[in-house]
């Protein structure tokens, strides 16, 4: 098992200071220039480069390089998908400090969907042209493997064409331990039921000095990476995320990206990297601020520069709102996620972006950024390229 240690001996004096570059760190403009030049030459950047880039005083210069790297890889095409989130239960044995979604059994607001409720949502999704359901939930103390396979089968029996992207590494670890199975055995059974790929949730921040403060009882960073490695080796693709904008520092963010880059180098199994901006309400973390646009955009740009072996960087409108998500398309992002329809996790934590976005609006957001909308499958196969703007109104 790969050990997740932080790449620096630096331990921040006060992580609560947030992820703003620390004023005591001296970074020369020459070092930043050197990193940008090397990135444009296609060279791999180091941990120190990533930290230096976060200290760059020139956001537009970062944007120009990230945009250029993205245009080389993906041209002006921007992906979106027509999907639906289904959170089968919010009952959870853990109590991550940033989470506003989970409830304890019997607590007001706790729920667990029946098969009929899941089938209904899958049918509505399929009828509205969705190609994917994204399903993640809490760690239900009483659910067994059969609950999970039934959830997948219910979706596939209702609408066989839907791709099931389901269950975070955290849920898989919990279930494997309860069922006394290896993760490979568990994934084999879920795949036989119809699982298509894994979402990227549960990664949070790998660096132990942050993780232990925000979700100390959760699967470790190395455990998360190990489960994705196992999935990739079985031929299952997956996504990866990073929760930022809470108590972490820029060193922890860059460290996180480098662990993902290393695993991608080993397996090539990640579809996309998705930075998730922290939403501050109704949780126990005590950090009561949303991220601002500069930090969101800088993080997208640095991800594009650091993650040179990733084809896709997602600007997830749910966390940043549509305006910043759109602007990120000029900072290295080439994917906006989807229609979503019933987003609960960020919504309950104070997201101001709403629960859904119509396909017609996604088209407009992309088109207004002077990019070409391309509907994609979950694993990034193009479904339809919207070459003709006149057709957008018909969607
Ligand atoms: O793991 C929980 C995050 C994640 C908060 O793979 C929060 O395509 C912000 O991973 N503020 C689940 N974030 C969502 C997720 C995801 C979403 C969309 C697409 C994909 C994909 C994956 O939500 C959790 C956690 O990191 N989260 N609470 C919060 N207060
Ligand atoms: Fe449970 Fe996931 Fe919320 Fe943590 S983030 S408390 S594991 S639902």
């Amino acid at each position: 098992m790969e050990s997740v240690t932080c790449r620096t001996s630096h331990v921040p004096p006060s992580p609560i200071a947030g992820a703003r570059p620390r004023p005591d760190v001296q970074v020369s403009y020459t070092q930043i220039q050197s990193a940008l030049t090397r990135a444009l030459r296609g060279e791999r950047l180091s941990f120190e480069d990533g930290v230096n880039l976060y200290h760059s005083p020139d956001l537009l210069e970062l944007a120009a390089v990230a945009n250029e790297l993205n245009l080389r890889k993906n041209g002006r095409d921007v992906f979106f998908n027509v999907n639906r989130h289904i959170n089968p239960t919010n009952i959870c044995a853990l109590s991550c400090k940033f989470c506003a979604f989970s409830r304890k059994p019997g607590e007001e607001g706790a729920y667990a969907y029946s098969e009929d409720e899941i089938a209904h949502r899958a049918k509505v999704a399929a009828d509205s042209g969705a190609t994917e359901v994204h399903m993640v939930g809490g760690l239900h103390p009483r659910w067994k493997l059969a609950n999970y396979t039934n959830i997948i089968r219910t979706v596939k029996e209702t609408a066989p064409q839907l791709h099931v992207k389901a269950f975070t590494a955290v849920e898989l670890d919990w279930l494997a331990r309860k069922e006394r199975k290896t993760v490979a055995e568990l994934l084999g059974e879920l795949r036989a039921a119809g699982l298509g790929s894994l979402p990227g949730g549960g990664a949070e921040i790998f660096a132990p000095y942050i993780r232990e403060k925000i979700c100390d009882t959760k699967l470790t960073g190395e455990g998360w990476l190990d489960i994705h490695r196992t999935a990739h080796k079985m031929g299952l693709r997956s996504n990866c995320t990073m929760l930022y904008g809470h108590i972490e520092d820029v060193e922890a963010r860059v460290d996180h990206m480098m662990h993902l880059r290393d695993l991608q180098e080993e397996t090539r199994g990640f579809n996309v990297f998705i930075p998730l901006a922290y939403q501050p309400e109704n949780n126990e973390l005590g950090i009561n601020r949303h991220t601002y646009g500069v930090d969101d955009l800088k993080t997208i740009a640095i991800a594009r520069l650091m993650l040179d072996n990733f084809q896709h960087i997602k600007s997830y409108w749910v966390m940043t709102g549509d305006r910043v998500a759109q602007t990120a398309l000029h900072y290295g992002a080439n994917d906006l996620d989807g229609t979503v329809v019933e987003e609960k996790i960020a919504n309950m934590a104070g997201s101001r972006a709403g629960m859904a976005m119509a396909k017609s609006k996604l088209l407009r957001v992309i088109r207004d950024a002077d990019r070409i909308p391309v509907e994609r499958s979950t694993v990034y196969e193009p479904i339809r390229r919207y070459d003709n703007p006149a057709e957008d109104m018909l969607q």
Side-chain angles (χ1 to χ4, degrees):
M1 185 185 279
E2 188 189 329
S3 160
V4 174
T5 49
C6 199
R7 278 177 170 72
T8 172
S9 56
H10 160 80
V11 177
S14 166
I16 305 296
R20 285 179 301 280
R22 289 160 46 229
D24 56 315
V25 175
Q26 297 294 315
V27 178
S28 85
Y29 198 61
T30 319
Q31 287 170 314
I32 294 168
Q33 286 301 305
S34 158
L36 294 174
T37 307
R38 281 180 283 116
L40 280 172
R41 283 206 299 257
E43 289 175 30
R44 179 154 290 182
L45 300 187
S46 66
F47 172 80
E48 288 71 24
D49 289 328
V51 173
N52 287 341
L53 291 173
Y54 262 113
H55 289 83
S56 168
D58 193 340
L59 179 65
L60 295 184
E61 187 180 50
L62 271 183
V65 176
N67 189 43
E68 168 63 20
L69 294 178
N70 177 43
L71 289 175
R72 282 184 202 166
K73 274 192 172 158
N74 298 302
R76 289 173 57 237
D77 288 1
V78 168
F79 280 124
F80 69 95
N81 72 340
V82 181
N83 65 349
R84 164 125 198 183
H85 284 208
I86 303 176
N87 302 117
T89 181
N90 65 350
I91 296 174
C92 188
L94 302 192
S95 306
C96 302
K97 290 208 171 60
F98 53 80
C99 181
F101 165 74
S102 73
R103 297 287 181 274
K104 294 298 167 210
E107 192 181 337
E108 198 186 334
Y111 73 85
Y113 288 152
S114 65
E115 284 174 22
D116 283 350
E117 287 170 309
I118 288 173
H120 170 70
R121 284 169 170 76
K123 181 167 184 337
V124 173
D127 289 349
S128 65
T131 58
E132 165 193 295
V133 287
H134 164 109
M135 294 198 291
V136 299
L139 310 184
H140 195 301
R142 289 205 309 278
W143 279 11
K144 299 200 163 29
L145 176 57
N147 296 90
Y148 291 83
T149 49
N150 283 346
I151 287 170
I152 298 172
R153 283 204 186 95
T154 300
V155 172
K156 293 303 265 187
E157 280 163 17
T158 309
Q161 73 274 27
L162 288 174
H163 177 110
V164 177
K165 176 179 66 158
F167 310 131
T168 64
V170 177
E171 290 167 282
L172 296 171
D173 167 69
W174 162 261
L175 187 57
R177 283 191 288 117
K178 276 214 300 198
E179 296 283 335
R180 296 179 196 279
K181 288 181 186 291
T182 65
V183 171
E185 286 165 349
L186 180 70
L187 284 172
E189 299 198 35
L190 295 173
R191 183 147 73 168
L195 180 73
S197 63
L198 306 188
E204 321 312 357
I205 282 278
F206 297 142
Y209 66 88
I210 302 295
R211 201 171 183 89
E212 69 199 18
K213 290 196 169 71
I214 62 171
C215 52
D216 58 345
T217 54
K218 201 169 205 163
L219 174 68
T220 61
E222 64 200 18
W224 189 97
L225 288 162
D226 235 28
I227 287 178
H228 282 256
R229 179 181 293 108
T230 302
H232 296 172
K233 288 192 171 158
M234 293 172 66
L236 279 166
R237 296 184 70 85
S238 72
N239 296 348
C240 55
T241 58
M242 174 179 80
L243 181 66
Y244 71 95
H246 43 93
I247 63 165
E248 86 291 356
D249 51 11
V250 296
E251 283 82 354
R253 293 185 189 183
V254 177
D255 175 73
H256 189 94
M257 290 182 200
M258 292 198 58
H259 281 291
L260 296 173
R261 187 174 79 185
D262 288 349
L263 182 54
Q264 180 74 329
E265 199 59 23
E266 191 184 325
T267 64
R268 300 278 159 177
F270 286 126
N271 294 315
V272 59
F273 174 66
I274 316 160
L276 299 174
Y278 167 71
Q279 308 297 315
E281 289 175 20
N282 306 316
N283 68 32
E284 291 179 358
L285 199 54
I287 302 293
N288 297 317
R289 47 164 166 66
H290 286 268
T291 58
Y292 281 117
V294 167
D295 195 15
D296 297 325
L297 296 170
K298 208 179 226 189
T299 298
I300 291 276
I302 292 173
R304 179 55 82 188
L305 268 76
M306 294 303 295
L307 299 178
D308 57 359
N309 52 9
F310 279 65
Q311 185 78 22
H312 307 295
I313 305 287
K314 188 185 285 186
S315 167
Y316 186 41
W317 63 264
V318 167
M319 299 295 180
T320 60
D322 52 2
R323 290 163 189 239
V324 171
Q326 181 198 45
T327 310
L329 302 179
H330 288 268
Y331 285 72
N334 71 312
D335 181 25
L336 274 186
D337 199 80
T339 46
V340 179
V341 181
E342 195 180 10
E343 205 293 325
K344 290 182 193 283
I345 295 174
N347 198 268
M348 291 170 84
S351 160
R352 300 175 287 210
M355 281 188 157
M357 195 182 288
K359 181 173 170 181
S360 54
K361 184 168 172 188
L362 280 164
L363 291 172
R364 193 180 144 213
V365 169
I366 297 169
R367 192 79 73 193
D368 279 6
D370 198 27
R371 298 288 157 110
I372 300 159
V374 181
E375 185 182 341
R376 63 163 173 84
S377 72
T378 304
V379 294
Y380 290 81
E381 300 145 336
I383 293 175
R384 178 169 170 195
R385 193 164 188 269
Y386 286 79
D387 295 304
N388 181 0
E391 288 173 12
D392 293 2
M393 301 301 285
L394 306 172
Q395 299 307 310

